Amino acid sequence: AQSVTQLDSQVPVFEEAPVELRCNYSSSVSVYLFWYVQYPNQGLQLLLKYLSGSTLVESINGFEAEFNKSQTSFHLRKPSVHISDTAEYFCAVSDGYQLTFGKGTKLSVIP
Amino acid sequence: ETGVTQTPRHLVMGMTNKKSLKCEQHLGHNAMYWYKQSAKKPLELMFVYNFKEQTENNSVPSRFSPECPNSSHLFLHLHTLQPEDSALYLCASSPTRVNTEAFFGQGTRLTVV
């Protein structure tokens, strides 16, 4: 069985400040890791993913996440957030068969 | 445009009604999924279809009935729902059942009155 824990349900942050959204997982096998973003009244969109190789992965809009196997973490970071980053972010883990989501973290960017 | 289209976007139905949710994917994928997203709960996987065959039913009540006529279309037939079934229903697809990435539709916001 696998599980995902997103430690913060809500994260408020001022515009242009850095942000970190935390994600920890548990699994008995090797995993693939994902961050999805959900804007209001929308479905989930893939933000970035770790399948293999470099443990640091980046998205096209400035987010990055680092896979830390020893700490079983996959935290999401951005050095300077924008108003348009306001959304809910979901961490997910896959054992190659089952995709399991965390409860989500609502990021609110304050002008 | 995600390549996965869901209709309708919003649906209000009474507890005695029968309605259907539709999902269509234009990505050439072979696996399709229904998820339920409720407030303050993780996404719940409801059903999985792989090459048109249902491979998983995660203890979903029989008032939800899925149908997959081909690899591009997925339906969720609803009847005699309860108010607690009100949620965002998301359809997703992936190239195969080996789940390295899922592509989601925009969802149907269902309200049961």
Side-chain angles (χ1 to χ4, degrees), chain B residues 5-94:
Chain B
T5 304
Q6 290 186 243
T7 54
R9 292 292 310 277
H10 301 273
L11 178 62
V12 179
M13 61 185 289
M15 289 190 284
T16 59
N17 290 159
K18 291 184 178 181
K19 296 287 185 183
S20 296
L21 309 185
K22 180 183 177 181
C23 175
E24 183 175 3
Q25 57 97 359
H26 312 278
L27 302 169
H29 292 169
N30 293 305
M32 296 186 77
Y33 313 81
W34 279 116
Y35 285 87
K36 177 183 179 181
Q37 186 179 28
S38 305
K40 300 183 181 179
K41 294 176 69 175
L43 269 74
E44 301 172 58
L45 179 63
M46 301 174 70
F47 301 104
V48 181
Y49 277 82
N50 192 34
F51 290 95
K52 301 187 299 178
E53 298 298 321
Q54 183 176 318
T55 58
E56 288 179 48
N57 174 341
N58 287 339
S59 303
V60 180
S62 60
R63 58 186 183 268
F64 295 90
S65 175
E67 178 189 2
C68 188
N70 55 61
S71 293
S72 299
H73 293 86
L74 185 64
F75 295 89
L76 187 62
H77 303 300
L78 317 170
H79 64 98
T80 59
L81 295 192
Q82 304 298 312
E84 59 265 28
D85 296 323
S86 299
L88 182 68
Y89 288 85
L90 292 165
C91 174
S93 70
S94 61

Side-chain angles (χ1 to χ4, degrees), chain A residues 7-66:
Chain A
L7 298 165
D8 305 297
S9 59
Q10 297 190 57
V11 173
V13 63
F14 286 103
E15 192 173 15
E16 298 184 2
V19 69
E20 179 180 80
L21 306 183
R22 297 179 291 171
C23 172
N24 288 89
Y25 69 92
S26 67
S27 176
S28 58
V29 299
S30 297
V31 296
Y32 307 108
L33 294 159
F34 309 83
W35 276 99
Y36 283 83
V37 59
Q38 185 177 32
Y39 299 102
N41 299 314
Q42 300 290 319
L44 276 69
Q45 302 173 32
L46 182 67
L47 187 61
L48 46 76
K49 61 184 176 182
Y50 169 78
L51 302 182
S52 65
S54 172
T55 57
L56 183 66
V57 291
E58 298 178 356
S59 71
I60 59 173
N61 57 353
F63 283 93
E64 65 178 29
E66 186 164 18

